[in-house]
Amino acid sequence: MSYYDGTNEVEYVKSFERSAVSTVLKNVYLWMTAALAISGLTAMFVAKSPVILSLIFANSFTMWGFFLAQIALVWFISARIHSLSIPTAVMLFTLYAVMMGVTLSSIFLAYTTASITNVFFITAGTFGAISLYGYTTKRDLSSWRTILLMGLIGLIIASLVNYFLNSEMLYWIISYVGVIVFVGLTAYDTQKIKQMALEVGTNEDAGKRVALLGALVLYLDFINLFLYLLRIFGNRD
C-alpha cells in the first residue's frame, strides 16, 4: 500500500513539474510575440517619420552608435538576468524591442510592404516548424553548438568584409548561409530553453527569468532569420 501511495506522489510531482515547464515555455512564446509586435509597430511608425529616419540613418556615426547600444543592451540583459528584478528585466526587454523596431524601419525604405508581409509569414511558418522540432526531438542538439557558433562568427566576418567589397556573389552566399545558421540556432535554442525550464522546475521566480531570457534568444533568432529570408525573397522598392 505504501508503495502505491509513494508512486502516486512521484507521479503527482512529475505532473506538477511538467505543468511548470509548460508555463515557462508558454511565457517564452508570449513574450517573444509581444516583442515582435512592439518592434513591428515601432518600425512602421518610424518608417513614416522622415525626422526620426534622418536622425538615425542620415549620420553613420549615429547609426553605428545606435547599433552598438543595442548590442550592449542585449549583453546586459543576458548577463544580469538572474540579478535584475522582473519588472526591470521586462522594461529593458521592451526597450530593446523598441530599439530593434527603429532599426528595422529601414527595411520599409528598401523593400515593398507586400514582400515584407509575405516574408514575415514565411519566417513565422519556418520558425514555428523548426522550434517545434527543437522542442519535441529526442536527439541531443548540443553537438550543434560549436558548428553554429563558427557559422555565426563566419557570418559576422563575411558581412563586415562585404561591407567594403560590395560583392553580389558574397551577398547571396551570406544570405543562404545565414538562413541555415539561424534555422539551426532556432532548433538548438528551443531545446536549450526547454532544458533550462526543466532545471528550474517549480521555482516561479527562476521560471520567469528563464522565460524572459528564452524569449530574448528566440526573438533574436526570429529577427535574424526574417532578415536573411528578406534578402532572398524580398522585392526591392
Side-chain angles (χ1 to χ4, degrees):
M1 185 67 177
S2 59
Y3 175 78
Y4 178 80
D5 291 341
T7 301
N8 282 348
E9 184 178 350
V10 169
E11 287 301 320
Y12 174 78
V13 171
K14 287 183 178 179
S15 176
F16 191 72
E17 288 179 344
R18 283 194 296 268
S19 177
V21 169
S22 297
T23 299
V24 170
L25 291 171
K26 181 184 71 175
N27 288 336
V28 166
Y29 291 106
L30 285 174
W31 280 115
M32 187 197 80
T33 303
L36 289 172
I38 291 170
S39 295
L41 291 172
T42 302
M44 288 187 287
F45 173 78
V46 173
K48 295 178 180 178
S49 173
V51 175
I52 300 177
L53 286 173
S54 62
L55 284 174
I56 300 297
F57 299 108
N59 187 301
S60 59
F61 179 79
T62 303
M63 184 176 66
W64 279 103
F66 192 75
F67 177 70
L68 292 174
Q70 290 179 72
I71 295 175
L73 185 55
V74 168
W75 176 84
F76 182 82
I77 296 171
S78 301
R80 298 293 186 89
I81 190 64
H82 297 296
S83 58
L84 292 170
S85 68
I86 299 299
T88 300
V90 171
M91 181 190 70
L92 291 176
F93 186 23
T94 304
L95 174 62
Y96 180 73
V98 171
M99 293 176 71
M100 178 61 78
V102 174
T103 302
L104 290 175
S105 64
S106 61
I107 67 175
F108 286 94
L109 305 179
Y111 299 93
T112 64
T113 303
S115 69
I116 291 172
T117 303
N118 290 337
V119 172
F120 177 84
F121 285 112
I122 292 172
T123 306
T126 305
F127 178 91
I130 298 301
S131 189
L132 180 62
Y133 168 76
Y135 178 79
T136 58
T137 183
K138 302 299 181 183
R139 180 180 179 182
D140 183 5
L141 303 182
S142 60
S143 59
W144 293 13
R145 183 178 184 276
T146 302
I147 297 173
L148 291 171
L149 182 60
M150 290 174 61
L152 187 59
I153 293 172
L155 279 174
I156 294 170
I157 294 172
S159 297
L160 288 174
V161 170
N162 205 40
Y163 179 79
F164 299 101
L165 294 181
N166 197 26
S167 166
E168 184 175 355
M169 183 176 73
L170 186 55
Y171 171 89
W172 289 111
I173 292 173
I174 291 170
S175 299
Y176 284 102
V177 172
V179 170
I180 294 170
V181 168
F182 282 99
V183 161
L185 280 172
T186 297
Y188 168 79
D189 288 333
T190 300
Q191 186 178 82
K192 185 177 178 181
I193 293 164
K194 179 183 177 181
Q195 291 169 347
M196 291 169 63
L198 285 168
E199 289 172 5
V200 300
T202 57
N203 187 323
E204 186 176 350
D205 183 74
K208 290 178 180 179
R209 297 177 190 279
V210 168
L212 281 168
L213 182 60
L216 176 61
V217 170
L218 291 183
Y219 167 84
L220 289 170
D221 290 341
F222 187 102
I223 291 294
N224 281 284
L225 180 60
F226 167 71
L227 291 175
Y228 282 115
L229 285 172
L230 188 62
R231 287 164 63 133
I232 297 170
F233 297 112
N235 295 322
R236 295 266 175 187
D237 202 349

